[in-house]
Amino acid sequence: MYLSKAFIPILKNNPSEAKIKSHQLMLRIGMIKQSSTGIYSWLPLGFKVMKKIEKIVRDEQNNIGAQEILMPTIQSSEIWKESGRYDDYGDEMLRIKDRQNREMLYGPTNEELITDIFRSSIKSYKSLPQLLYHIQWKFRDELRPRFGIMRCREFYMKDAYSFDINDEEAFFSYNKFFLSYLRTFKKLNLTAIPMAADTGPIGGNLSHEFVILADTGESKIFTDKRIFNLDSEGSEITKESLEDLRKKYEQYYAVTDEKFNKNEFEKEVLPENRLITKGIEVGHIFYFGDKYSKPLNASVDLSGGKKDFVKMGSYGIGVSRLVGAIIEAKYNEKDEIMKWPLVVAPYEVAVIPVISKNDSKNLEKAINVYDYLKKQNIDVIIDDTDENLSSKLKKVNLIGVPYQIILGKKSEGDLLEFKETGKETTSLSIEKIAKFLHQQKEQI
Ligand code: ATP
Ligand code: MG
C-alpha cells in the first residue's frame, strides 16, 4: 500500500470523548468510525487487524476439529420463546418486526438457533460429538456502551457450540475449547488467564472467563500469581491430557468478582502470591448440559434404544473486542508508542524513503524494496509522501507498525537500515530482512 493513497484518516490530537488508550488510538489513527452510539464502521487499518485476529481464532477452532458454519444475524423469536429466553433476555435484545408483523430479533448469541439446526439433522449418538462454530456480528443493546469497540452494541464474535452424548464426553469437548483458547491467546501474544466464572444468562454449571490484565479492564480479578507461569505446552487432545491441563490451571485461585470469596482467597493464597487487579474479558466458555436441548427437544438415539437430550456447551471469543484489548496490553504508555504483535499488525513493515527536492533516488530504491517484499508475501506499506523523516517516523510509530526500513543516509548499496520499534538499528540486505520477518512469524 502506498501511504499517499491509503485511507488512514489520522487525527492531529486524541479525541476528547475517548477515555481509554485503545479507544483514543483507534479513533486517532482511523481504525474505526462511530456511526451511532455503540455502533462502528471498521476502516481499513482496523479491519485488517480484526481480520488477522479472526484468522488466528479460526485456525485454532479448526485445529480442535470444530466445523465452521455461518448463521444469520437476524433470528425469529419462535425458538427464543421455546427456550424461555425471549422474555428473560430483556432490554439487551434488539427486537424487530418484519412486514408481516412477525417478531424478529438481532441475535445477541446463538444457543437457540444452533440447537434448532442440530435437532433437525442429528438423530443418533453415532454422529456425536459435534463441534460447530461461526464468526458473526452480534447485537446487544448494552445499558452503557463505552470504551469504543470494547463495550459496544454491535460486535464481532466467534461463538462455538458442542453437542455430546453424556457429561464425560461433554467435558472432553469443553476441555478442547479450553486448550484452543489458551493457544489462540498465546498466538495473539496475550497472556489470558482462565478464571472460574459465573454463568449469567447463558446458564449452566461449569464456566471459565479468559481475562487479560489491564488497568482499564472492567472485570475485577483475584488470583494466585503463580497461574501466570503456566501454559498449554505439551498438551495433547486426549481426555486425560486435557483434564490434566484444566486441573493444572484450576489448582490456583483465579476468579472474577462475582465468584470472589474473601475467606477462600485468604485461606488458599499466601499473601506474597495474592494479586488483585483488573482485566478484560476476551473469551468465555460454558458447559450447561441440557439447559437448551431439553426445552427445544434436541435428543439423540442412544445405543440401547433409549433417547436422551444432547449435552451442550458454548464458547465465545470477542474478536472485535480483542483489537482494543491488544492495544491496552501492548501500548507503551511511557514512550507513547504502539507496537502491534507481528501476527496482527496492520502492516508488518514500513518502507520509509527520505525524499529531498530534486532527488528521487531514495524513493526509487524504496519502491524496489517495497515490490520485493510484496512478492515475498510480506504485508508492507511505503510512505511515499514528501513529509520529512521525523514526521514519517512519528506516523508509523503512532500506527504501531512493528518494523521499519529507512532509505536515507544509513542505507548504502545493498545494506538497508532496518529497525524494530524500540530496538537498535541494524544494516541488512533485503533478502535477510524478508527471511527474518518470515522467521518471526513462524516462531509463534
Ligand atoms: P461482558 O461480561 O463483558 O458483558 P459477557 O459475559 O456478556 O461479557 P459473553 O456472552 O460470554 O459475554 O460473550 C463472549 C465474548 O464476547 C466476551 O468474552 C467478550 O469478549 C465479547 N463481548 C461480550 N459483550 C460485548 C460487547 N458489548 N462489546 C464487545 N464485545 C463483547
Ligand atoms: Mg455482557
Side-chain angles (χ1 to χ4, degrees), residues 53-66 131 133 135 158 176-177 179-188 232 237 317 444:
I53 295 172
E54 179 185 355
K55 183 178 181 303
I56 290 172
V57 170
R58 173 177 289 118
D59 288 348
E60 290 304 324
Q61 295 293 292
N62 295 342
N63 279 344
I64 55 161
L131 311 181
Y133 75 99
I135 306 176
K158 184 285 300 178
K176 287 181 195 168
F177 284 99
L179 171 69
S180 83
Y181 277 38
L182 291 172
R183 287 180 173 165
T184 302
F185 298 124
K186 187 170 180 204
K187 269 197 179 169
L188 291 169
S232 64
I237 304 188
I317 290 184
I444 303 155

Side-chain angles (χ1 to χ4, degrees), residues 89 92 108-109 140 142 148-158 201-202 209-210 218-219 258 280-286 315-322:
Y89 221 94
E92 256 193 35
T109 178
R140 293 181 186 174
E142 297 275 356
I149 49 81
M150 297 283 256
R151 179 167 302 282
C152 49
R153 297 199 296 166
E154 190 181 42
F155 59 96
Y156 202 44
M157 192 209 279
K158 184 285 300 178
I202 307 275
E209 277 176 17
F210 287 75
E218 292 184 278
S219 312
E258 293 107 359
I280 300 168
E281 180 194 323
V282 286
H284 200 165
I285 61 179
F286 304 86
Y315 314 88
I317 290 184
V319 176
S320 51
R321 178 181 283 183
L322 272 167

